[in-house]
């Protein structure tokens, strides 16, 4: 992450959330950035299961606040189209949050890492 003084930037959290999600595009269906302030930023993320989750980045870390089935996405395989969101849980990285929320993300992450090791 950046130095403490750069956290005072009005776009710090938005930029960090965008960067973090861009690094995870292999394991999510899509994302759209939402509101941002000098203190937090949000994004609506569609998981590979077709579930939409609101992810917030704040000084406390990454947090999932809401989930719903996406009307435009379909469930993959026999995986349930719901995820368990604990609004009191904070994660140090978006990667650990996504692993917690999405079994398909976790599988895709493992597959991607293994492919890189074999290359």
């Amino acid at each position: 992450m950046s130095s403490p003084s750069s956290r005072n930037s009005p776009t710090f959290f938005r930029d960090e959330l965008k960067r973090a999600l861009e690094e995870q595009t292999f394991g999510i269906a899509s994302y759209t950035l939402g509101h941002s302030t000098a203190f937090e930023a949000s994004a609506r993320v569609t998981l590979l299961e077709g579930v939409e989750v609101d992810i917030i980045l704040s000084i406390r870390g990454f947090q999932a606040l809401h989930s719903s089935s996406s009307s435009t996405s379909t469930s993959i395989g026999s995986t349930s189209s719901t995820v368990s969101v604990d609004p009191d849980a904070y994660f140090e990285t978006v990667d650990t949050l996504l692993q917690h929320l999405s079994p398909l993300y976790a599988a895709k992450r493992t597959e991607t890492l293994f492919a890189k090791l074999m290359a």
Side-chain angles (χ1 to χ4, degrees):
M1 289 188 109
S2 302
S3 68
S5 63
S6 68
R7 287 190 201 123
N8 295 332
S9 165
T11 63
F12 171 78
F13 288 102
R14 184 195 70 209
D15 295 345
E16 285 294 310
L17 181 58
K18 181 180 179 188
R19 182 197 54 75
L21 290 171
E22 284 176 352
E23 292 175 358
Q24 307 308 318
T25 56
F26 66 87
I28 59 176
S30 65
Y31 74 90
T32 305
L33 293 175
H35 83 279
S36 66
T37 69
F39 305 105
E40 71 177 27
S42 70
R44 170 67 53 108
V45 177
T46 303
L47 304 176
L48 295 176
E49 290 87 351
V51 175
E52 291 182 340
V53 178
D54 293 325
I55 294 180
I56 307 294
L57 173 60
S58 69
I59 194 81
R60 299 178 92 185
F62 292 91
Q63 173 187 31
L65 291 181
H66 178 264
S67 72
S68 63
S69 293
S70 171
S71 60
T72 59
S73 300
T74 59
S75 182
I76 299 172
S78 60
T79 303
S80 171
S81 63
T82 61
V83 296
S84 176
V85 173
D86 179 1
D88 296 321
Y90 290 87
F91 296 84
E92 200 168 304
T93 67
V94 75
D95 175 66
T96 55
L97 172 59
L98 291 170
Q99 286 184 67
H100 175 77
L101 292 174
S102 171
L104 290 178
Y105 170 84
K108 188 69 170 176
R109 180 180 180 274
T110 301
E111 177 186 312
T112 302
L113 288 174
F114 186 70
K116 287 180 180 180
L117 287 172
M118 298 305 291

